[in-house]
Amino acid sequence: MLYRKRPLRPREKARCVRCRSVLYRGTSADLNRVVALTLGAAFIFLIAQFFPIVELDVNGLTSSATLLGAIRVLWHEQMQVVATMVFLFTMLFPAIELGSLLYVSLGLRLGVKVPGFSLVLRAVQTARAWGMTEVLMIGILITVIKMTSLATVVPRPGLFAFGALTMMLAIVVSFDPKALWNAGDDLARQALPGIRYKSFEPGDALLPCHSCGLVAPPGGTARHPHCVRCGATLHGRHPDSINRTWALLIAAAILYIPANLLPVMYTHSLFGVEDDTIMSGVVFFWTSGSKGLAIIIFIASVVVPMLKLATLALLAFTAQRRSRWRPEQRTKLYRMVEFIGRWSMLDIFVVTLTVALVRFDALAVITAGPGALAFGAVVVLTMLASMQFDPRLIWDPVDEAAKPHQPAVKNLAIGEHHV
């Protein structure tokens, strides 16, 4: 649906009157605040990455690990794919988000639209979808609690840095990058080429840009036109959305079986070799008295992947059949899957830190197993499937049925205060 945008005060949000999804939020364009928060988060980020997180002490034998060191251990144990996933989600993508946001906001603060402005802001939005610092922080806490039964755990600066970074990133993420697009337009002091907003009429062919939020008529005769502001490719609907979603879902469902049956860790000790699967980890926490952690791991590593697979299969099937059954509820299901998708990486982060910390050659060594690789692939594939699915396909049959009776343009979106 097409809406005429109206300004909102801070802490207000505009929702679609049909599916209740948030269209945009009222945010403060205080560039000083954005620069200060981003610069502070970048400084804490460096401390978190390069200082030890925790140290284990077992009868005088010590072992400590940084995040980069944990990734290096996985790499040397022939788990390059898992090491790459952890590196991307916990180091590279958060670094891209912070660095790009700082680069653009500093330029705007100085009154300059920096070179590569559009490309850098698009990188912010892509990196934000894949950064998982908050999931890593929960994984660190679970690992620390797990290690207390094996050794004396000594907190190190990296642990506190990750805690502070998680809170600061939560504030940074609340800032909508689309406000920076608008600030860049104001700085240029010129209308966007080829757009005359006053000439828009109900029924005009318009395409939204999912990168910068600009709504404009498709220009030229190209099969896939580009946004006149940021250069992103415009699509009325995601190309081949349902087929791609099914392909990714089927691959994830196949890998989900070995992810749960194969060991995610091997423990080599004086008593032999012990295999640990995802469920054996849940049982360990339950029987050791940490029932809350057992429930968290069970939900994140077992319930959430199954829920994602079932929900996305339902959405793809009903969209393929062009069903008009409960479109609002199906849209809410999609938003839920989109939100919880990253939390399944929790078990992978626990494995990463555990493998790096338990390196006592004379007593015990823990290595990653093939189940970790399969489970990490399941998480990535289901996240890609949710990104490929176009939720607008849910509403297309509804629009076709209501087209003769429904105006094409709504005058105003609804602004609501946060509860």
Side-chain angles (χ1 to χ4, degrees):
M1 296 185 71
L2 180 63
Y3 293 90
R4 291 189 177 94
K5 187 176 180 179
R6 77 175 196 186
L8 297 178
R9 294 188 298 271
R11 299 183 63 80
E12 284 188 334
K13 55 187 174 182
R15 289 185 180 274
C16 174
V17 297
R18 182 169 62 177
C19 70
R20 307 304 298 163
S21 296
V22 176
L23 301 175
Y24 60 97
R25 301 175 187 272
T27 58
S28 172
D30 185 357
L31 291 173
N32 290 328
R33 178 174 176 266
V34 177
V35 170
L37 284 171
T38 308
L39 188 60
F43 179 73
I44 298 297
F45 175 82
L46 294 175
I47 297 175
Q49 301 300 328
F50 298 107
F51 280 76
I53 300 172
V54 292
E55 181 180 283
L56 300 186
D57 188 331
V58 179
N59 298 325
L61 298 175
T62 61
S63 174
S64 63
T66 63
L67 180 58
L68 188 60
I71 294 171
R72 189 182 299 114
V73 169
L74 283 176
W75 186 274
H76 290 316
E77 291 183 352
Q78 308 306 312
M79 284 288 171
Q80 287 90 346
V81 176
V82 179
T84 301
M85 286 191 290
V86 176
F87 172 75
L88 291 175
F89 300 152
T90 62
M91 295 187 73
L92 183 61
F93 287 127
I96 290 175
E97 179 183 356
L98 290 173
S100 300
L101 194 58
L102 185 60
Y103 173 66
V104 170
S105 57
L106 268 176
L108 293 174
R109 174 66 181 80
L110 298 173
V112 178
K113 193 172 182 179
V114 295
F117 179 88
S118 298
L119 183 62
V120 171
L121 270 184
R122 287 167 60 187
V124 170
Q125 292 171 293
T126 301
R128 182 169 289 184
W130 289 98
M132 302 184 187
T133 302
E134 72 281 9
V135 184
L136 174 64
M137 185 63 215
I138 300 299
I140 291 173
L141 294 177
I142 291 175
T143 305
V144 168
I145 295 173
K146 182 177 181 179
M147 292 297 103
T148 54
S149 63
L150 305 175
T152 302
V153 178
V154 182
R156 290 303 184 191
L159 176 62
F160 303 105
F162 268 114
L165 178 64
T166 301
M167 292 186 289
M168 295 189 74
L169 280 179
I171 302 174
V172 171
V173 168
S174 67
F175 184 79
D176 188 355
K178 290 183 175 64
L180 296 180
W181 291 106
N182 297 333
D185 292 340
D186 294 340
L187 192 62
R189 295 184 180 178
Q190 59 184 10
L192 292 167
I195 303 178
R196 295 180 179 178
Y197 289 98
K198 292 183 179 179
S199 66
F200 284 178
E201 296 292 340
D204 286 350
L206 300 171
L207 288 177
C209 176
H210 292 282
S211 294
C212 68
L214 181 71
V215 177
T221 58
R223 181 181 177 185
H224 297 304
H226 290 81
C227 176
V228 297
R229 178 159 71 175
C230 71
T233 303
L234 302 178
H235 302 286
R237 296 293 181 267
H238 294 331
D240 208 17
S241 171
I242 294 178
N243 288 337
R244 293 181 183 183
T245 302
W246 275 122
L248 292 165
L249 278 179
I250 292 171
I254 293 172
L255 287 172
Y256 185 70
I257 298 172
N260 284 276
L261 296 179
L262 295 177
V264 293
M265 289 188 299
Y266 295 111
T267 302
H268 306 264
S269 67
L270 298 174
F271 305 100
V273 180
E274 182 181 349
D275 300 342
D276 289 312
T277 62
I278 291 174
M279 282 306 302
S280 68
V282 173
V283 172
F284 169 80
F285 280 109
W286 186 271
T287 56
S288 63
S290 301
K291 294 185 178 180
L293 290 179
I295 293 172
I296 291 174
I297 295 176
F298 179 75
I299 292 174
S301 301
V302 179
V303 175
V304 169
M306 292 181 63
L307 182 64
K308 287 191 297 183
L309 289 170
T311 302
L312 286 171
L314 171 66
L315 294 176
F317 177 76
T318 52
Q320 193 170 30
R321 296 291 300 271
R322 301 190 66 78
S323 170
R324 296 198 299 269
W325 174 71
R326 296 183 179 273
E328 183 177 348
Q329 285 73 19
R330 282 188 286 150
T331 303
K332 290 179 179 178
L333 279 176
Y334 173 75
R335 299 300 176 197
M336 179 189 68
V337 169
E338 194 177 36
F339 174 76
I340 66 175
R342 64 182 59 211
W343 286 95
S344 295
M345 280 297 292
L346 181 64
D347 211 60
I348 299 300
F349 294 150
V350 172
V351 170
T352 301
L353 293 169
T354 303
V355 166
L357 284 169
V358 183
R359 312 299 293 177
F360 302 103
D361 294 336
L363 297 176
V365 174
I366 294 180
T367 58
L373 175 59
F375 189 79
V378 170
V379 177
V380 173
L381 288 170
T382 51
M383 289 184 67
L384 288 172
S386 67
M387 293 176 181
Q388 285 297 320
F389 181 77
D390 194 332
R392 292 171 295 184
L393 296 174
I394 297 172
W395 293 94
D396 283 347
V398 179
D399 289 340
E400 290 173 3
K403 196 171 184 179
H405 313 289
Q406 187 173 356
V409 181
K410 294 290 184 182
N411 286 328
L412 291 172
I414 297 177
E416 296 181 348
H417 288 282
H418 283 286
V419 179

